[in-house]
Amino acid sequence: MSRPVQARRLEGVDKNIWVEFVKLAATYSTVNLGQGFPDFPPPEFLKEAFSRAVSGEKHMLHQYTRAFGHPPLVKILAQLFGKLLGRDLDPMTNVMVTVGAYQALFCCFQAFIDEGDEVIIIEPFFDCYEPMVKMAGGTPVYVPLRPKAPKEGKLMSSADWQLDPAELASKFSEQTKAIVLNSPNNPLGKVFSRGELELIADLCVKHDALCISDEVYEWLVYDGKEHIRIASLPGMWDRTVIIGSAGKTFNVTGWKVGWTVGPNRLLQHLRTMHQNSVYHCATAAQDAVAQGFQREFEHYGKPDSYFVQLPRELQQKRDQLVQSLVAVGMKPIIPEGTYFLVADISEFKSEVPDVPNSDEPYDSRFAKWMVKNKGLAAIPLSAFYCGAHKNNYNSFIRFCFAKDATLKAADDILQKWKLEKAAP
Amino acid sequence: VSTTVNLAKQNTSLVEFTKVAADPSIVNLGQGLPDICPPSYVKEELAKAAAVDRLNQYTRGFGHPSLVKALSQVYERVCGRKIDPLTDILVTVGGYGSLFSTIQALIEEGDEQLLHSNNACFVFIYFSKKNGGNPASSADWVLDPAELASKFNSKTKAIILNTPHNPIGKVFTREELQVIADLCIKHDTLCISDEVYEWLVYKGNKHIKIATLPGMWERTITIGSAGKTYSVTGWKLGWSIGPQNLIKHLQVVHQNTLYTCPTPLQEALAQALWVDYKRMDDPDCYFYSLPRELESKRDRMAQLLQEVGLRPVVPEGGYFMIVDVSTLNVDLSDVDENQPYDYKFVRWMISSKKLSAIPLSAFCGPETKRQFEKYIRFCFIKGLETRNMDDIANNWVVR
């Protein structure tokens, strides 16, 4: 063929950080705190629900279910999110199930973004937003969270990374179709406060912009913080699509069950996109997730609720990792939510020198060095910035602490590393 | 709303008829939904996979390693060529997901695409009946070679081939595939070959992969489906197989749309494929036992339909059968004129005979709807006990 065989929409979206880093971690035998998935099992009640769905009497659970979401699942999601949002939700029109939150994001960008539309993305961001906006023909417009110095002697918190209100306002234009909000935020772990959400909401209303609200880590908030749903703020329900994930809620990332919640006027277009891309989602996992949510709905707020126990468990792991990183000389930013933690590695420029005028950001070189020399894998923060901004915050790496055995192994590595540094 | 969505809104017929027939008092022979059980080892492998903690978390984006390995082995055997599991295969959300990834990856605005059964957005070519008259078999539906050749031009990017064919059930012969292959090579066109029903071919027919014809491997994406292979449509796992220089673009689409497919399902499918790979020389292999089971269902359904006065077009493959309903001469002229006859007939059949099917013109572009409006499509991968068949027959007799 004289012209390229691939379509133009693939321009600029072919690179993927995960493909590279997953390969790297697999090549060297590493303790992998890089990619975000748990190394401990999902809750028993959910495993049992899946087992019932697969081996039970209802053999039709191996066949197609309703394309926009298995009825038991959309019903319980409508009930739960109705309660959380203080609204009556129709399971058939206000909820749609997707193949993970990833496919929900894809449907949103495809459904709402056209050539010439601008989409505001807050940096650092989950890396897929950028290529998805581009593939839809849109233009990403970036606005950074900027770190404020922490109080004397204290470690930085993800709360110390904030938007500049004037800067944010300046990013909205006539072309702004949507803003992507991710709270709790991957990679920083920031949980946006009510004030911060109101700032964003006011601008959305003023500019008639949509809000694509990626809330997959909604249950993972620590230190008594509250996850506030922007869709519950005045003027926001009608312009917001909320995205959620069973993978993150129930520690079953491999099930790829996600959902969107929002007004019918927006969801109808997601349904059109969905029926023309994958049409149906796998049935059995939806059935099991429905049962999992039913159980949680009944235990809501009680001490044995998984939504209470899991964040409690993860908070301990967070604190454990923070201690180990401090001991080795890194400066962790305490996350308010998610199971990710970002640490400042600028101290290590003596051990791993910076190379001026290098194409590769410092944190990426450091991360690769750490994989090869310490057998520990983490992801460079620059991976979560657009090309032009990769060197703005390039001395941080991201760890995932939703780990059991792996966290212990990481701790051993960090202890050993600390001793090596101390030795003359 | 985006222009993407506006274009996509045209495809709603199946959605509508699926809803209508959800009423449990209606015998639903419309949607391609098996109500036979998948083989027990398939279900057992899924239960086993889900019990392994690691298998409930993310796997490799382009396809779970054990699954792409199993697929490469099965298809190496079928195609007689080496297939690299990491570069020549992409696992997708059903055959549907493969079609989507392929078209997103390779088709541009301005490209023309040939669809031999019809769709609103594309250049289409439709089947004509061999020797005119009333076809009794899907083999009687053919493409006119001269007409097909006339549809190819410099803007033609791809042809979409579906064999065995849904809805007609045609199994393209080697000669017919050669006609298409010659044109693809002459015009440097891609071939997107939807072969989800590849194992479901009946006596006297052979499924041939167009990718195995000379000059075709390098320009063909072949699509398969776990749902159709193992009667597990609810698993929504499919795959695209082809040369690295094409598959790599599908992989880019995949990493930007859903990234990875569910892990336990992929592991279970891999194990099931190994079971059948090992017995591919054995008639008990599910790839051969399922079509044997379906062939007798096909024959019983064809007979029943004839008994009630309809004219079935017996399919050579797949699990659908199209049926000429004009033989009954049901007068529906008082119903909405703008609707094609088959839409009106199906609605009439649902309400008066408690039986549902899909109108064939749902599968046609606007120009040919009127031509195909005397056909409706039945699905026969159904339990269809003798009792049900009698019920259906009785409902017809009582007019």
Side-chain angles (χ1 to χ4, degrees):
Chain A
M1 297 219 164
S2 49
R3 60 191 163 137
V5 70
Q6 74 277 20
R8 277 191 308 271
R9 66 179 70 83
L10 300 194
E11 256 161 55
V13 303
D14 51 326
K15 297 269 173 296
N16 184 279
I17 180 95
W18 304 108
V19 175
E20 190 195 345
F21 272 89
V22 166
K23 242 205 287 194
L24 190 67
T27 310
Y28 297 85
S29 137
T30 51
V31 170
N32 192 349
L33 295 189
Q35 201 185 357
F37 61 84
D39 73 355
F40 50 86
E44 271 312 306
F45 64 81
L46 196 67
K47 287 171 69 165
E48 281 160 21
F50 192 69
S51 180
R52 280 195 298 273
V54 161
S55 320
E57 312 229 309
K58 297 198 265 182
H59 70 92
M60 288 310 281
L61 292 177
H62 291 281
Q63 306 307 334
Y64 292 131
T65 182
R66 177 176 168 269
F68 305 129
H70 189 51
L73 179 55
V74 293
K75 287 198 182 108
I76 190 64
L77 286 170
Q79 259 191 298
L80 177 62
F81 284 93
K83 175 190 163 102
L84 295 169
L85 294 164
R87 244 176 215 278
D88 249 314
L89 296 183
D90 180 345
M92 301 293 136
T93 59
N94 296 133
V95 182
M96 186 182 85
V97 175
T98 55
V99 180
Y102 213 94
Q103 195 230 337
L105 286 161
F106 175 74
C107 284
C108 284
F109 293 118
Q110 287 289 316
F112 303 127
I113 308 306
D114 253 330
E115 202 82 39
D117 286 342
E118 288 177 4
V119 179
I120 298 176
I121 296 176
I122 300 169
E123 290 179 312
F125 58 91
F126 178 57
D127 66 299
C128 82
Y129 304 150
E130 180 184 0
M132 284 193 184
V133 167
K134 286 181 173 165
M135 231 176 102
T139 306
V141 170
Y142 306 96
V143 59
L145 287 163
R146 294 181 183 282
K148 288 177 151 58
K151 292 196 183 62
E152 190 60 48
K154 295 206 93 168
L155 284 170
M156 198 178 261
S157 154
S158 55
D160 296 321
W161 287 63
Q162 294 168 8
L163 289 169
D164 177 304
E167 186 177 18
L168 177 64
S170 75
K171 303 289 181 176
F172 278 78
S173 77
E174 290 259 306
Q175 276 67 46
T176 307
K177 192 69 187 286
I179 179 169
V180 184
L181 173 67
N182 175 217
S183 181
N185 167 279
N186 170 12
L188 275 178
K190 179 181 177 64
V191 174
F192 283 69
S193 66
R194 185 173 291 278
E196 289 171 315
L197 294 175
E198 279 168 354
L199 177 71
I200 295 169
D202 287 344
L203 286 162
C204 285
V205 170
K206 176 175 175 184
H207 294 270
D208 196 20
L210 299 176
C211 180
I212 297 168
S213 187
D214 175 352
E215 303 184 21
V216 297
Y217 299 103
E218 59 190 312
W219 300 109
L220 305 185
V221 287
Y222 311 121
D223 309 315
K225 274 238 137 64
E226 191 200 345
H227 169 66
I228 299 164
R229 294 178 172 84
I230 197 171
S232 62
L233 268 53
M236 289 307 288
W237 165 255
D238 208 53
R239 60 182 65 256
T240 305
V241 176
I242 306 171
I243 293 172
S245 156
K248 310 300 189 230
T249 296
F250 289 113
N251 273 344
V252 282
T253 60
W255 286 20
K256 294 290 290 186
V257 174
W259 53 82
T260 53
V261 172
N264 186 49
R265 79 166 188 115
L266 296 180
L267 255 62
Q268 63 179 325
H269 303 304
L270 299 183
R271 290 194 290 270
T272 303
M273 232 6 261
H274 183 77
Q275 90 193 23
N276 286 292
S277 52
V278 303
Y279 203 0
H280 295 88
C281 300
T283 312
Q286 289 190 65
D287 200 74
V289 171
Q291 292 185 54
F293 268 118
Q294 193 63 54
R295 190 254 185 207
E296 282 304 298
F297 190 74
E298 284 154 22
H299 292 248
Y300 190 78
K302 303 205 178 97
D304 60 350
S305 154
Y306 190 66
F307 297 166
V308 169
Q309 290 181 335
L310 181 63
R312 187 172 294 153
E313 210 181 301
L314 287 173
Q315 182 168 325
Q316 287 179 333
K317 291 178 188 293
R318 174 195 73 170
D319 296 342
Q320 190 190 326
L321 181 62
V322 165
Q323 272 190 326
S324 306
L325 293 175
V326 167
V328 84
M330 292 189 192
K331 294 214 232 14
I333 299 164
I334 318 281
E336 301 155 275
T338 78
Y339 44 50
F340 298 110
L341 183 162
V342 169
D344 184 335
I345 39 126
S346 39
E347 263 253 341
F348 287 81
K349 291 202 172 153
S350 50
E351 214 167 330
V352 185
D354 201 352
V355 171
N357 305 318
S358 162
D359 263 342
E360 189 177 21
Y362 177 75
D363 55 1
S364 178
R365 283 197 315 110
F366 180 86
K368 288 182 184 161
W369 172 90
M370 195 171 74
V371 163
K372 293 175 191 166
N373 293 280
K374 298 295 171 192
L376 181 61
I379 305 290
L381 191 67
S382 57
F384 304 95
Y385 283 85
C386 70
H389 299 166
K390 277 196 192 306
N391 280 304
N392 293 3
Y393 298 96
N394 62 357
S395 53
F396 299 89
I397 54 179
R398 184 198 81 169
F399 293 94
C400 171
F401 56 86
K403 309 284 182 184
D404 228 352
T406 318
L407 206 57
K408 292 194 184 72
D411 196 52
D412 291 339
I413 291 174
L414 291 165
Q415 294 299 335
K416 187 157 159 257
W417 192 350
K418 165 185 152 196
L419 292 172
E420 282 165 13
K421 285 185 78 187
Chain B
V1 87
S2 71
T3 37
T4 311
V5 158
N6 277 324
L7 284 172
K9 273 193 165 65
Q10 297 168 39
N11 173 27
T12 47
S13 311
L14 284 179
V15 176
E16 180 208 333
F17 280 100
T18 309
K19 264 203 283 212
V20 166
D23 177 344
S25 72
I26 294 169
V27 178
N28 185 357
L29 299 184
Q31 195 190 2
L33 190 74
D35 69 8
I36 63 170
C37 259
S40 54
Y41 59 92
V42 168
K43 294 190 288 180
E44 278 154 24
E45 289 301 339
L46 184 54
K48 273 181 10 207
V52 177
D53 290 338
R54 180 65 186 87
L55 294 177
N56 286 301
Q57 307 305 335
Y58 290 133
T59 183
R60 175 178 171 268
F62 304 143
H64 187 53
S66 62
L67 175 56
V68 292
K69 187 88 189 29
L71 286 168
S72 73
Q73 295 285 281
V74 169
Y75 287 103
E76 273 181 6
R77 221 195 109 123
V78 172
C79 297
R81 73 175 297 132
K82 199 107 195 58
I83 296 174
D84 184 316
L86 300 182
T87 61
D88 299 347
I89 302 181
L90 174 67
V91 175
T92 55
V93 177
Y96 210 94
S98 267
L99 283 163
F100 179 75
S101 295
T102 303
I103 292 171
Q104 285 290 300
L106 305 173
I107 307 302
E108 196 71 80
E109 243 179 73
D111 284 344
E112 285 187 7
Q113 200 172 188
L114 273 141
L115 195 62
H116 64 78
S117 61
N118 309 299
N119 187 297
C121 304
F122 307 130
V123 174
F124 54 86
I125 179 156
Y126 49 92
F127 290 110
S128 46
K129 296 158 217 167
K130 196 154 71 172
N131 312 319
N134 296 307
S137 153
S138 56
D140 296 329
W141 290 72
V142 296
L143 290 175
D144 179 288
E147 182 175 19
L148 180 62
S150 76
K151 301 286 184 174
F152 278 76
N153 62 48
S154 61
K155 296 213 290 289
T156 307
K157 189 71 183 283
I159 178 168
I160 300 181
L161 172 68
N162 177 214
T163 179
H165 186 267
N166 171 13
I168 293 175
K170 179 182 178 64
V171 174
F172 282 69
T173 63
R174 184 175 292 277
E175 293 70 33
E176 289 171 318
L177 292 176
Q178 195 60 63
V179 170
I180 295 170
D182 289 345
L183 286 163
C184 285
I185 291 166
K186 176 174 176 185
H187 294 271
D188 197 16
T189 299
L190 299 174
C191 180
I192 301 168
S193 189
D194 174 354
E195 302 183 14
V196 297
Y197 301 102
E198 59 188 308
W199 302 111
L200 306 184
V201 287
Y202 306 121
K203 268 205 281 303
N205 301 286
K206 187 165 155 45
H207 172 69
I208 295 164
K209 289 178 153 336
I210 196 170
T212 59
L213 268 53
M216 289 306 287
W217 169 259
E218 59 252 40
R219 62 182 65 255
T220 305
I221 302 279
T222 305
I223 294 171
S225 155
K228 313 299 190 229
T229 297
Y230 283 112
S231 311
V232 285
T233 59
W235 287 29
K236 286 293 294 190
L237 277 182
W239 47 86
S240 298
I241 298 182
Q244 177 176 7
N245 68 296
L246 295 181
I247 294 288
K248 73 182 185 198
H249 301 303
L250 275 67
Q251 289 175 337
V252 169
V253 170
H254 187 80
Q255 89 196 17
N256 288 298
T257 52
L258 49 94
Y259 200 82
T260 183
C261 293
T263 315
L265 294 170
Q266 292 190 70
E267 174 64 23
L269 178 60
Q271 297 308 321
L273 285 169
W274 287 125
V275 168
D276 286 299
Y277 173 73
K278 286 191 263 211
R279 49 182 190 170
M280 275 175 90
D281 283 325
D282 185 334
D284 281 341
C285 175
Y286 193 69
F287 302 161
Y288 319 133
S289 66
L290 178 61
R292 278 199 306 273
E293 187 186 338
L294 290 179
E295 186 161 347
S296 55
K297 289 180 190 291
R298 176 196 73 167
D299 295 343
R300 271 163 67 212
M301 173 167 286
Q303 193 185 9
L304 169 71
L305 294 168
Q306 274 166 340
E307 280 167 14
V308 303
L310 297 169
R311 189 187 291 135
V313 176
V314 180
E316 301 156 278
Y319 48 56
F320 297 108
M321 182 180 307
I322 63 168
V323 178
D324 180 345
V325 301
S326 64
T327 46
L328 282 185
N329 273 311
V330 176
D331 184 0
L332 298 168
S333 52
D334 55 339
V335 185
D336 175 19
E337 251 309 298
N338 287 323
Q339 289 271 300
Y341 183 80
D342 53 356
Y343 274 72
K344 296 195 280 190
F345 186 92
V346 168
R347 291 205 185 90
W348 168 84
M349 192 174 71
I350 289 173
S351 65
S352 63
K353 303 298 173 194
K354 298 293 179 196
L355 179 64
S356 86
I358 304 285
L360 192 67
S361 57
F363 297 88
C364 302
E367 289 153 48
T368 46
K369 270 189 190 310
R370 291 287 164 184
Q371 206 150 13
F372 295 109
E373 65 178 333
K374 64 180 190 173
Y375 293 98
I376 65 178
R377 184 196 81 172
F378 284 95
C379 172
F380 54 89
I381 186 164
K382 303 285 183 183
L384 287 178
E385 304 302 329
T386 315
R387 185 181 46 79
N388 298 136
M389 300 284 250
D390 288 345
D391 282 348
I392 296 170
N394 289 335
N395 279 336
W396 278 96
V397 169
V398 177
R399 293 234 193 162

